[in-house]
Amino acid sequence: MLKTHDCGQLRAADSGKTVMLAGWVHRRRDHGNLIFVDLRDRFGITQLVFNPDISEQTHAAASDLHIEYVIRVVGQVRERPEGMRNPDMPTGEIEVVATELEILNTAKLPVFHINRESEVDEAVRLRYRYLDLRRQRMQRNLVLYHEVTRFIREHLSNRGFVEIETPILFKSTPEGARDYVVPSRIHPGKFYALPQSPQQLKQLLMVSGFERYFQIARCFRDEDQRSDRQPEFTQLDLEMSFVDRDDILALMEDLLIALVPAVSDKRIATIPFPRLTYAEAMDKYGSDKPDVRFGMTIVDITDIAGKTAFTVFSSAVEAGGRVKAIVAPGCAGYTRRQIDELGQMARDLGAKGLATIQMRPEGPHTPIARFLSPEELESIISRCGAQEGDLVLIVADQPKTVAQVLGQMRTEFGKRLSLVDDNVLAFAWITDFPLLEWDDEEQRYTAVHHPFTAPMDDDLDMLESAPEKVRAKAYDVVANGYEIGGGSIRIHRRDIQERMFAAIGMSREAAQSQFGHLLEAFEFGAPPHGGIAAGMARLVMLLAGEPNIREVTAFPKTQSAVDLMTDAPSYLTPRQLAELHILVDDTHMSNTKDGDA
RNA sequence: GGAGGCGUAGUGUAGUGGUCUAACACGUCGGCCUGUCAAGCCGAAGAUCGCGGGUUCGAGUCCCGUCGCUUCCGCCA
């Protein structure tokens, strides 16, 4: 080892010891004679002192040090003189008086500040990610990620779970997300697909009798990015046999309740986690991943509004729509311009318009006053529970649109009015999802969750007659407006799985060629089973209080799925393409003969 | 595929049609300095204002296009 101690380790009790430290020059304070160097390694920072009275040669060498040089130092630990201790740093009571200095490597000037937490353009950070990862924020976040992973592995291992790896080169299935594919050299024209999740394989492991499986699993989905979505990501994936829904929920809830205090200072809002059905969540929060840290729930005023003379309301109700409202506390004083901006936001979200009631001291003010009787207005206000000083926002439309608009506006006001506490994690379960939904584009039903999700027993006989009414044994765990994980009890019988494939418009032949292995496995004694998968980065992002998952990902890709550091994806050489039996359109070839190579 | 935001020295910002011959902070370089810890003081260098085109007597500033990053919608079994 080039060091006897790390830079976060030495204390007053170590004074007098001769030590060897190695790391990066974090800062240098050159007083001409005395030189102070803050030496940084992964574990902390220790102050070095170079004094010409101790070693003239070493002091002269220290004059040539620059930021981020990699050095090794030999010296004596010394308690700092009274009044010169730094209570803000763990090693602040000591310093190391350097007697020897070796420059292990020089460093170009970093393109951004490594020794301060200043904002830097993210493209620059990603281009030089190895430098960005030296900074405190990323060091802290990646260590947290590791702690979360380690905790989960121990927690589940202690409960009889076995971690089993499943292949990354797998089979393409057209259901679900777009696949990332890998050409086969040995089998011209054939492709592997990278797994979107280990779903089928973990179900097969249940057929194999492992009973309790988990995996910290890499997954790949070729869809557009979001602040909480990367093209490749990691899931905590788990599956259990001989369980029902509440067993999975209890396991996951126990895990999260134990995890949060073990790795963070965040407080869990409510234990046990609240449970909402999908219908309740959409009704009250306008979202299937509601932020339940604050109220402002959506109020249904369809019965009152539908009878008014305001045709926007009544015609929406006649068309099968709903009229709903949220109450923004303390916003009655909004200016005309602010109200107009809210109206524009509502239209941008898909509403035809936005009705408002400003609860002013002199009485309710609303642009639609002339369409409402005083009793109707009073009735709406009373239903919403609006008080003086509040602002009521009303949207009339099809249920889906109303939920979308008011749900998003609720989220906006949650931020705007600081109703959300960043130190709180408000977990909740969303249950009773619909099994299927109609897809206009494809002109068929598609699985809301995935086609292996079991229908509720009571709804099974509607699978063919009223597919949209069938509820699934599916559940999501959400926190602070993010979907943290989702799972279900699975189908474990061939006949029901075949009916499910038929319900999503899949022919027997297609089912056989794509999922024949699974159908066949179900005939060899598949136990009842179910599981859940949770996005690791989303969870760590919330634990770290970060605004996106790139901040907890070592080497993330940009929104256009590019790695700015390596420039992946890149062109292949003609020789590589030939070997893979791939013809690429001239317009999509590199203009250099050797591709990117 | 669509909508919005951003792009000015190494980094972060200011500049919203006319001494902008582009300012400030941090950093960098040179000098001084033996107790600093975001060290201090003095001085200096450093920017074809993302790229291309247009409007104008005049464009960092307005318009069009394009590229990059980002947020959201679609998409994400």
Side-chain angles (χ1 to χ4, degrees), chain A residues 47-77:
Chain A
Q47 175 167 288
L48 311 175
V49 193
F50 295 86
N51 189 330
D53 299 342
I54 305 277
S55 166
E56 202 164 322
Q57 192 192 344
T58 303
H59 175 268
S63 299
D64 294 330
L65 290 179
H66 295 276
I67 283 204
E68 297 305 309
Y69 272 32
V70 188
I71 61 173
R72 187 186 63 95
V73 160
V74 177
Q76 270 75 50
V77 182

Side-chain angles (χ1 to χ4, degrees), chain A residues 358-516:
Chain A
Q358 288 168 278
M359 300 293 290
R360 294 175 174 171
E362 66 270 23
H365 170 81
T366 174
I368 59 170
R370 62 201 163 100
F371 303 108
L372 304 177
S373 71
E375 293 74 25
E376 286 168 343
L377 181 58
E378 186 45 49
S379 173
I380 289 171
I381 289 167
S382 147
R383 172 74 61 81
C384 293
Q387 308 289 316
E388 186 181 315
D390 292 347
L391 172 66
V392 183
L393 309 166
I394 305 170
V395 173
D397 215 306
Q398 289 301 306
K400 201 176 160 185
T401 306
V402 173
Q404 163 82 3
V405 176
L406 288 179
Q408 296 258 9
M409 297 196 83
R410 175 180 173 274
T411 304
E412 165 64 21
F413 275 99
K415 274 186 230 154
R416 197 182 279 197
L417 303 175
S418 299
L419 302 176
V420 290
D421 182 344
D422 289 333
N423 295 312
V424 165
L425 286 174
F427 290 106
W429 288 106
I430 312 299
T431 65
D432 298 20
F433 281 83
L435 185 71
L436 300 159
E437 65 186 344
W438 180 255
D439 185 324
D440 259 340
E441 201 177 317
E442 300 214 19
Q443 286 294 301
R444 66 178 179 95
Y445 284 97
T446 58
V448 169
H449 195 53
H450 56 57
F452 316 112
T453 298
M456 293 240 180
D457 300 337
D458 293 344
D459 298 350
L460 187 56
D461 51 10
M462 292 191 293
L463 193 54
E464 288 79 16
S465 56
E468 72 285 349
K469 287 187 181 162
V470 177
R471 290 165 304 160
K473 290 181 182 172
Y475 34 80
D476 281 356
V477 57
V478 303
N480 297 9
Y482 289 93
E483 180 193 326
I484 293 300
S488 62
I489 298 299
R490 327 296 185 187
I491 297 166
H492 66 284
R493 276 171 40 189
R494 176 168 184 140
D495 58 329
I496 296 175
Q497 188 65 67
E498 285 179 328
R499 285 172 64 189
M500 181 64 185
F501 286 144
I504 59 172
M506 190 182 288
S507 68
R508 265 180 179 280
E509 294 70 31
Q512 188 57 41
S513 77
Q514 284 159 30
F515 300 110

